[in-house]
Amino acid sequence: MTALEIGFWSFGAILLLIAVRIPIGVALGGIAFLGITQLRDVDVAFALIGDTPFEFAAHYSLSAIPMFLLMGSVAHHSGISHSLFRAARLWFSGLPGGLAVATNLACAAFAAASGSSVATAAAMGRIAIPEMLKQGYEKGLATGVVASAGTLGSLIPPSILFVLYGIFAEVSIVKLLIAGVFPGLLTAAIYTIMIIARCKLNPSLAPPIDPAEIAALRPERMRALLQVWPLVALIVGIIGGLYAGIVAPTEAGAGGAVLAFVISGIQGRLNYQVFRDSLIEAISATARIFFVAVGAVMYTKFLALTGMPTFLGNVIGDWALDPILLVVAASILYLILGMFLDPLGLLLLTLPILLPMFEGLNLDLIWFGVLVVKFLEIGLLTPPVGFNVYVIKSVVGDTIPLETIFRGVAWFLACEVVVVVLLVAFPEISLYLPSTMD
Amino acid sequence: MRVGYGPTRTTSRPRPSAEGRCKVRLQRAIKSWIGSVDKINRALSVPVNCLMWLACFSGFLMMAHITIDVVGRVLFNHPFQGTIEIVSAYYMVAISFLPLAYITRHEGHIVVELFTRGLSKRRLFRLDIAVNIVTLVYLTVFASRATVSAIGQTERGEMWETAAGFVDVWPSRWLLPIGIAVMALFVLYKIFEDMRQVRQNSGETAP
């Protein structure tokens, strides 16, 4: 068997192992170990498994991940997400589908404190869905908006996926994070337009709130807005600090986490349980991500030995001479694999194959990074394995079937098609802000 | 003459057959085995929780250390020497590997459950036994090679160069085999636990 054939067999083996519930990190690392034993010898494989995990984890750029996660979990556990939804509800509840619009915009704002889509959806889902259901919102809309707007968590900085992409693609993580700002806002805007249009055309989706009640709530608006100041401070501190080049991503994350602790302390919301739960949540999530990433790094090294990246680069390079064709090919690949794999595994599995092709065509890797994160986010919403939908399902329990949530998400997926077309047609949406940093 | 409605007593109880005696012994053995599985769980929870706390403490220290470094650098033009090296070599390694057993205990590893959702409980436990055996083999190789690597770096006295001097890195090499080994022990426990569940669910049929 040639090295390339072993590489192809490894794809099938990994998918098979994942299908029988082997943890993804074990599947990737185990196949890499066996593959290298077959290609070289067991000593090379031992050296790989003995040194790679430490070398991978002992990496300063990666330390942004636990810090971003910690900041998000403190912001959630100390009630910032709650204040945010309350303020958004008071300001936007007068619009058609006002609570759904408020949820969408609250997710976009919370994304500036959270680096993970799943965490954003979980945080907002617990707060917003019961409110919308109480108001008589259609179940698909109520759940679909949180699952979909939760994906903004990875697009609007901070973002764990951008950090990982930046390390693998060897491009500036700061520029990647800043590149996500406009695409994230664009997505939120298109979602908002869709929600308002749908609810205007079909008011039964979202029964309007009594005008008298809205008028009664109006005086509370400014007070609610004042309670959101911690998030504004976080946004200014993090995005501003990164954009101005004052702080590196890790420093922004650590400073943001300290700020979140201090703010929740000032507001009287910090207690031992908040402190403990935030730390455990952030540290567990980090180790969970890194366990997969260590396997993926070993698998990447194995794939390089098989010559797979060069082979695929040549194959697609001959065919997709036009960059648009390559983007279409990549989007199809992500769409199909995204239906089954989690975003992290998918990112780490596909980058070794796709990056050489994009480099071969001299395409901008920051633009590609934004597209990849967008594709991964779409994968969080597509059936049968849509992690954000599963998170919402775990929030609502047995009251709403999975099919209803997927049906609600379908409208947002249609919006994603528009967003992706705009991002591909106008790379400036992603690249304008990073270009002003030079 | 006997008065009452209770069961009649015989003066001598018939001796159980050899097969019956075997059954009783087997039941006693299973009971004591189940008891020891619970004891293993309780015993393992100590290192599992300790490692998690150590990882959380490292995460908190990392946050504080980096913030002090930034404040020192930006406000006083005086950065904290060796921050990058200590963050990378110590805090990051602790955060990455020490919580693994805790995550395993809370079923937190990333797995795809799509294709196995229709299985009965009993079949699922059997599949989990096989999955955990594969995971255990992987972790054993992982931990043993990490140990070999840690011994090598300890003998060499691994250090990283910083702007102000050198930082000893070799102690953090040991965090990896410790974290992986405790995870492996917990996976081994889970294999026994799943075997017990298979036995308990033996009457159940597929839905």
Side-chain angles (χ1 to χ4, degrees), chain B residues 61-132:
Chain B
L61 268 186
M62 181 161 118
M63 177 190 77
H65 196 149
I66 294 171
T67 308
I68 291 169
D69 178 56
V70 176
V71 171
R73 195 188 65 219
V74 175
L75 297 184
F76 307 106
N77 198 23
H78 190 82
F80 209 78
Q81 294 298 338
T83 299
I84 291 180
E85 290 73 16
I86 293 170
V87 165
S88 312
Y90 283 92
Y91 303 140
M92 281 301 286
V93 178
I95 288 171
S96 307
F97 299 106
L98 296 185
L100 287 175
Y102 182 89
I103 296 171
T104 312
R105 188 174 197 199
H106 291 84
E107 307 279 351
H109 284 291
I110 301 171
V111 296
V112 174
E113 296 184 330
L114 170 72
F115 305 100
T116 50
R117 228 178 263 158
L119 294 180
S120 67
K121 259 189 184 174
R122 196 175 177 214
R123 284 199 176 140
L124 216 50
F125 282 125
R126 282 191 170 158
L127 181 65
D128 278 350
I129 293 171
V131 164
N132 281 327

Side-chain angles (χ1 to χ4, degrees), chain A residues 55-69 158-174 176-177 242 248-254 286 290, chain B residues 62 66 83-89 92 96 160:
Chain A
E55 284 163 10
F56 173 76
H59 202 297
Y60 187 71
S61 300
L62 279 176
S63 57
I65 292 177
M67 293 297 97
F68 286 164
L69 287 168
S159 161
I160 285 149
L161 289 178
F162 274 135
V163 174
L164 280 171
Y165 175 88
I167 288 168
F168 274 80
E170 294 176 350
V171 290
S172 160
I173 295 171
V174 177
L176 275 167
L177 290 169
L242 284 171
T250 300
E251 296 166 347
T286 306
F290 281 16
Chain B
M62 181 161 118
I66 294 171
T83 299
I84 291 180
E85 290 73 16
I86 293 170
V87 165
S88 312
M92 281 301 286
S96 307
W160 284 0

Side-chain angles (χ1 to χ4, degrees), chain B residues 40-194:
Chain B
I40 294 170
N41 185 22
R42 277 198 297 275
L44 270 177
S45 67
V46 176
V48 167
N49 290 336
C50 283
L51 292 185
M52 186 62 196
W53 280 116
L54 203 55
C56 286
F57 184 61
S58 303
F60 185 77
L61 268 186
M62 181 161 118
M63 177 190 77
H65 196 149
I66 294 171
T67 308
I68 291 169
D69 178 56
V70 176
V71 171
R73 195 188 65 219
V74 175
L75 297 184
F76 307 106
N77 198 23
H78 190 82
F80 209 78
Q81 294 298 338
T83 299
I84 291 180
E85 290 73 16
I86 293 170
V87 165
S88 312
Y90 283 92
Y91 303 140
M92 281 301 286
V93 178
I95 288 171
S96 307
F97 299 106
L98 296 185
L100 287 175
Y102 182 89
I103 296 171
T104 312
R105 188 174 197 199
H106 291 84
E107 307 279 351
H109 284 291
I110 301 171
V111 296
V112 174
E113 296 184 330
L114 170 72
F115 305 100
T116 50
R117 228 178 263 158
L119 294 180
S120 67
K121 259 189 184 174
R122 196 175 177 214
R123 284 199 176 140
L124 216 50
F125 282 125
R126 282 191 170 158
L127 181 65
D128 278 350
I129 293 171
V131 164
N132 281 327
I133 289 172
V134 172
T135 306
L136 184 63
V137 172
Y138 175 74
L139 293 176
T140 308
V141 176
F142 199 156
S144 64
R145 298 320 298 178
T147 309
V148 170
S149 177
I151 291 170
Q153 297 298 350
T154 306
E155 284 171 351
R156 240 171 279 151
E158 185 186 21
M159 280 190 266
W160 284 0
E161 196 175 354
T162 70
F166 289 90
V167 173
D168 276 321
V169 170
W170 62 266
S172 85
R173 289 268 177 181
W174 288 96
L175 296 175
L176 209 153
I178 291 170
I180 301 286
V182 177
M183 179 184 173
L185 283 177
F186 200 83
V187 171
L188 183 65
Y189 155 73
K190 281 192 62 97
I191 294 172
F192 288 124
E193 172 62 26
D194 285 340

